[in-house]
Amino acid sequence: MGMRSRVLTAAAVGVCLAAAPATVAAAGGGIDRPAGRQVLPAGDGWAAYGPGTTGGAAAARDQVHVVQTRAELVEALGGDNATNRSNATPKIIYIKGTIDGFEGADGNLLSCEDLADPEYSLSAYLTAYDPATWGRVAPSGPLEQARVRSVTNQTRHTQINLGPNTTIIGLRGALLTGLTLMADTANNVIIRNITFEDARDCFPAWSPTDGETGNWNSQYDQISVRRSQNVWIDRNTFTDGDNPDSAQPLYFGRPYQVHDGSVDITHTASLVTVSYNRFAGRDKVMLIGSSNTVGPDVGKLNVTIHHNVFENVYQRLPRVRFGQVDVYNNHYKLSGDDFQYVLGVGVQSAIYAESNYFSLGQGITADKIIYDWSGTAITEKGNWVREGWRLPRHVDLLAAYNAANEVPLGSDAGWTPTLRHGPVLPAPLVPLATALFAGAGKLPV
């Protein structure tokens, strides 16, 4: 049987599984379905290293929950959002319907004004720190302190803290909006089959020395992994919904950016697999390593990124510091004037990019896929590019980058991936495989 036939057969099997009814059994006030107890397959990327990733698969019946509100989600995670990160009891949490991080104790939605410190207002902030009068120095003083207190208020409410040994999985149509799932010192976590939407920051910070003219920077990712190992993020969809950064106003001549990353992996986190997700209509997507400082991150930040779809997204796909990052069999569908780059080669990074497929819109060329963020080398092989209406073809991405830039990057990232589940597909088959299996709603839950 040829490779194409094997892929099509696998696809047909996957569709049948998705259509099959799942077993449902009473379990501790909730339900228990096979997908909820599924563990990361052996060898499936860096998250399979060491003990592997099992999430809440060992959960007792009374630790299987179905939640429909923010309060129920916090309760299922241990009962207190401030301390849930230390709750290592194995647990499986099914998300049903829409949960909004701005939901208040009475069930009504809070506004940004509700979370703001009494001494903060955006209009006062814009007046006080206008570069024309304040200059190009960092904001300081009572009003900036009030903004920071406002961020603390929002973080306390919209950042949902996970503990170790946790599986969070969406039932059909599950949506988490206006919140961050934070895995900080939370080893062995699985997050699957959820649409994440609009993790907005009510109180972005003005950074006047960020870039040539300054930038607004926001606080909240949709999923943040910090100081954690063995994390599997699989078959989710990430979007800004009807609140894209492109629709935000300009302040101080710069976009008022209210979103940060989709999946950021930082602060010594490692052994993460990001598979079969869909990232759509976002600016910043995936930051791996948040500082150029040589220190605790060395030897960490090892991540596998495979069979994802990146559609109409602009940068950090991913941007990498320090880690050994395996990027293979992903489909990049890129367009728009705001596009910046795909693979950010940062300090001591070791990206291995193999058999990815790049569909490039008008004005985007192969030499723009790689960007040098003070790195030295990247390994790339078997990648294909379709530019506009031209026929797809194999392209040496590194050669294209080096031909267009004065300082070349080396071709050997210094390692070869060994943790891969199944054969690497030839790049021309990647669009079909990812269309069938990537994104929320593709699991039989």
Side-chain angles (χ1 to χ4, degrees):
M1 183 182 294
M3 176 64 72
R4 185 176 183 86
S5 297
R6 288 199 298 271
V7 171
L8 292 174
T9 300
V13 171
V15 170
C16 291
L17 287 174
T23 301
V24 181
I31 59 176
D32 205 351
R33 299 185 178 182
R37 295 193 181 267
Q38 185 175 348
V39 304
L40 178 70
D44 192 352
W46 274 112
Y49 187 82
T53 302
T54 59
R61 291 294 184 92
D62 63 351
Q63 290 296 327
V64 179
H65 310 272
V66 178
V67 300
Q68 302 182 69
T69 67
R70 176 192 175 279
E72 290 176 354
L73 176 57
V74 170
E75 182 66 27
L77 287 164
D80 184 349
N81 197 39
T83 60
N84 281 349
R85 60 186 285 185
S86 63
N87 177 18
T89 303
K91 63 195 80 68
I92 300 171
I93 300 171
Y94 294 93
I95 306 296
K96 183 177 181 180
T98 297
I99 295 179
D100 195 313
F102 283 79
E103 178 189 288
D106 61 358
N108 294 318
L109 296 183
L110 302 174
S111 66
C112 288
E113 289 73 19
D114 293 325
L115 295 171
D117 184 89
E119 297 182 17
Y120 174 84
S121 75
L122 177 58
S123 60
Y125 192 87
L126 295 174
T127 299
Y129 302 118
D130 188 332
T133 54
W134 179 261
R136 291 198 66 192
V137 294
S140 62
L143 192 54
E144 169 63 9
Q145 293 167 8
R147 187 197 67 81
V148 172
R149 291 194 298 272
S150 302
V151 171
T152 300
N153 291 341
Q154 179 175 350
T155 300
R156 189 180 299 119
H157 199 85
T158 65
Q159 178 178 293
I160 306 300
N161 297 313
L162 311 183
N165 308 319
T166 298
T167 292
I168 297 185
I169 184 166
L171 299 174
R172 186 173 297 276
L175 172 68
L176 295 181
T177 184
L179 59 76
T180 297
L181 288 187
M182 173 62 74
D184 191 349
T185 62
N187 294 342
N188 193 30
V189 168
I190 296 173
I191 303 170
R192 306 183 77 195
N193 203 48
I194 301 167
T195 294
F196 290 82
E197 182 180 277
D198 193 19
R200 60 195 176 277
D201 189 342
C202 290
F203 314 104
W206 170 243
S207 303
T209 58
D210 181 1
E212 295 182 359
T213 59
N215 276 303
W216 293 94
N217 288 301
S218 57
Q219 173 83 11
Y220 303 105
D221 307 314
Q222 293 172 311
I223 296 176
S224 183
V225 183
R226 302 180 180 181
R227 290 172 283 263
S228 303
Q229 295 191 147
N230 298 103
V231 177
W232 183 27
I233 299 167
D234 178 67
R235 287 175 171 81
N236 303 289
T237 295
F238 299 86
T239 173
D240 289 336
D242 59 2
N243 187 36
D245 280 329
S246 60
Q248 303 304 319
L250 296 178
Y251 294 132
F252 307 154
R254 300 297 298 158
Y256 189 63
Q257 194 169 60
V258 299
H259 302 109
D260 199 19
S262 292
V263 178
D264 279 11
I265 301 160
T266 60
H267 298 81
T268 72
S270 198
L271 309 184
V272 180
T273 296
V274 182
S275 57
Y276 291 99
N277 300 283
R278 181 172 180 265
F279 302 87
R282 306 208 73 242
D283 181 1
K284 301 172 183 176
V285 174
M286 194 180 307
L287 180 66
I288 301 175
S290 56
S291 170
N292 286 347
T293 302
V294 177
D297 282 335
V298 175
K300 305 290 187 180
L301 302 172
N302 296 328
V303 180
T304 299
I305 302 164
H306 72 84
H307 294 94
N308 301 281
V309 174
F310 299 87
E311 183 173 6
N312 295 330
V313 289
Y314 301 145
Q315 60 175 314
R316 302 182 179 180
L317 312 173
R319 176 180 175 178
V320 181
R321 297 175 172 98
F322 301 108
Q324 293 182 345
V325 177
D326 187 14
V327 183
Y328 76 93
N329 280 172
N330 300 286
H331 187 193
Y332 294 89
K333 303 164 70 174
L334 307 172
S335 63
D337 294 337
D338 293 323
F339 170 79
Q340 297 186 41
Y341 65 92
V342 177
L343 303 172
V345 183
V347 174
Q348 295 187 24
S349 64
I351 299 173
Y352 196 105
E354 181 176 5
S355 294
N356 300 287
Y357 189 96
F358 298 86
S359 301
L360 305 183
Q362 184 175 2
I364 303 176
T365 52
D367 60 292
K368 303 298 184 185
I369 290 173
I370 297 172
Y371 189 88
D372 182 10
W373 287 104
S374 302
T376 58
I378 177 174
T379 300
E380 72 86 23
K381 56 188 292 189
N383 297 291
W384 279 53
V385 173
R386 180 174 63 82
E387 295 179 348
W389 294 105
R390 296 179 61 184
L391 291 174
R393 59 195 173 94
H394 170 259
V395 173
D396 185 328
L397 301 180
L398 182 58
Y401 171 85
N402 285 341
N405 292 274
E406 293 183 1
V407 180
L409 289 169
S411 61
D412 184 3
W415 74 295
T416 300
T418 58
L419 292 167
R420 287 175 170 174
H421 184 66
V424 176
L425 295 177
L429 297 183
V430 168
L432 172 62
T434 54
L436 288 171
F437 298 125
K442 302 298 178 68
L443 285 177
V445 184

